[in-house]
Amino acid sequence: MTALLSAKGLSRSFGGVHAVRDMGVEVREGSITGLIGPNGAGKSTLFNLLSGVIRPQSGTVVYNGEDITTLAPFRRARRGMIRTFQLSREFGRLTVLENLMLSPQMQLGERLWPLFSRPSAVARGDAAVYGRAEEVMEIAALTPLRDAYAADLSGGQKKLLELARTLMIDCDLILLDEPGAGVNPALMGTLTEMIHRLNADHGKTFLIVEHDMDLIGRLCNPVIVMTEGTFLTQGVFDTIRDDPRVIEAYLGGMVDV
């Protein structure tokens, strides 16, 4: 597998605190790569650097062979790299269906002039988006909730909607920030299965930052470990779990990782 996303020498400080120091990461095309580390390891900052939310003070980010270090998040999205957030960012006053239909970028009907000059083209575009939304709701097990307001969904359902919204955009790489946070065990199985299906059946590549080691173990290969803002080790989950350096990084070996 070739590297779809790679970063080298990433560093970022805040007020003298080195959140990320000379960090490198590589995400192979077709993989589900996990990113773990103790609290304060720099995982969230790294995610923000990779997705363009903040810029590095040094280092480079390359996606699909292109240097995207200085690109804004929306330009990265147009190139096929999408991210979710730990706290879902749905439109609460819109339904599940409406949230999905709003997700595709640069829809013809978003501009005023085509509404008058090309109404048939706008209608065809809307119909295509509607059909895609129906397919995505089926994949995400959200069809029964299509007319429910997003604000009324449970935490787990909002996570499914967040992931489903990424599927409305033509993307190859999905960065998932704590997908298991706030998800009950029943919906966790649905979420895990959805990620597996998107990877195996739809060719999506994933980078997942997550504290739930059971989720990481079920989904991810390889697993990258950060500590104190930099790279510690990488490998298959079973090897990572038993690595003394990883155990030590998690509160001096006093927790089961």
Side-chain angles (χ1 to χ4, degrees), residues 2 18 56 73 85 89 98 106 109 141 174 192 213-214 219:
T2 59
H18 297 288
F85 292 85
R89 299 190 175 188
E98 290 167 340
M106 303 181 68
I174 302 174
T192 302
M213 293 299 107
D214 288 336
L219 283 174

Side-chain angles (χ1 to χ4, degrees), residues 23 53 159 165 253:
M23 179 65 188
V53 174
K159 290 285 186 174
R165 288 171 60 190

Side-chain angles (χ1 to χ4, degrees), residues 8-241:
K8 295 181 180 179
L10 290 182
S11 296
R12 179 72 193 211
S13 298
F14 299 96
V17 177
H18 297 288
V20 172
R21 298 180 296 109
D22 194 28
M23 179 65 188
V25 64
E26 188 174 272
V27 179
R28 297 285 182 172
E29 185 176 5
S31 72
I32 304 178
T33 300
L35 176 64
I36 66 172
N39 290 334
K43 303 184 297 299
S44 295
T45 301
L46 177 62
F47 241 52
N48 287 333
L49 292 171
L50 295 175
S51 60
V53 174
I54 58 176
R55 289 189 179 183
Q57 291 162 326
S58 63
T60 58
V61 180
V62 176
Y63 173 70
N64 205 17
E66 177 186 2
D67 188 333
I68 61 168
T69 308
T70 61
L71 285 186
F74 77 92
R75 297 193 183 279
R76 300 181 194 216
R78 289 177 182 175
R79 284 162 171 75
M81 186 174 75
I82 305 294
R83 73 162 291 178
T84 66
F85 292 85
Q86 183 176 351
L87 298 177
S88 301
R89 299 190 175 188
E90 72 286 340
F91 296 97
R93 295 186 178 182
L94 299 181
T95 67
V96 167
L97 175 62
E98 290 167 340
N99 267 270
L100 293 178
M101 292 189 66
L102 191 62
S103 297
Q105 304 177 77
M106 303 181 68
Q107 297 185 54
L108 191 61
E110 292 177 349
R111 292 173 290 166
L112 183 61
W113 180 245
L115 295 174
F116 299 99
S117 63
R118 303 176 60 191
S120 297
V122 171
R124 288 194 298 271
D126 288 346
V129 171
Y130 179 84
R132 177 59 179 162
E134 288 191 313
E135 295 174 359
V136 168
M137 284 189 293
E138 188 66 28
I139 293 172
L142 289 171
T143 301
L145 299 169
R146 57 179 290 149
D147 297 319
Y149 289 109
D152 296 332
L153 301 180
S154 70
Q157 291 166 340
K158 288 179 180 179
K159 290 285 186 174
L160 289 173
L161 176 58
E162 181 98 340
L163 182 53
R165 288 171 60 190
T166 68
L167 301 184
M168 294 296 297
I169 303 171
D170 186 16
C171 65
D172 297 312
L173 173 63
I174 302 174
L175 309 181
L176 295 182
D177 189 357
E178 298 278 358
V183 180
N184 66 46
L187 281 179
M188 184 68 80
T190 302
L191 182 68
T192 302
E193 176 60 25
M194 182 180 176
I195 294 171
H196 268 305
R197 287 181 57 193
L198 294 177
N199 176 252
D201 300 338
H202 298 270
K204 304 297 183 183
T205 300
F206 289 88
L207 175 62
I208 303 175
V209 59
E210 179 59 65
H211 283 99
D212 186 332
M213 293 299 107
D214 288 336
L215 182 63
I216 289 289
R218 291 198 301 269
L219 283 174
C220 299
N221 182 22
V223 177
I224 300 168
V225 186
M226 287 185 71
T227 185
E228 298 181 349
T230 194
F231 177 88
L232 178 62
T233 187
Q234 175 177 328
V236 299
F237 179 75
D238 287 344
T239 301
I240 291 296
R241 180 184 56 193

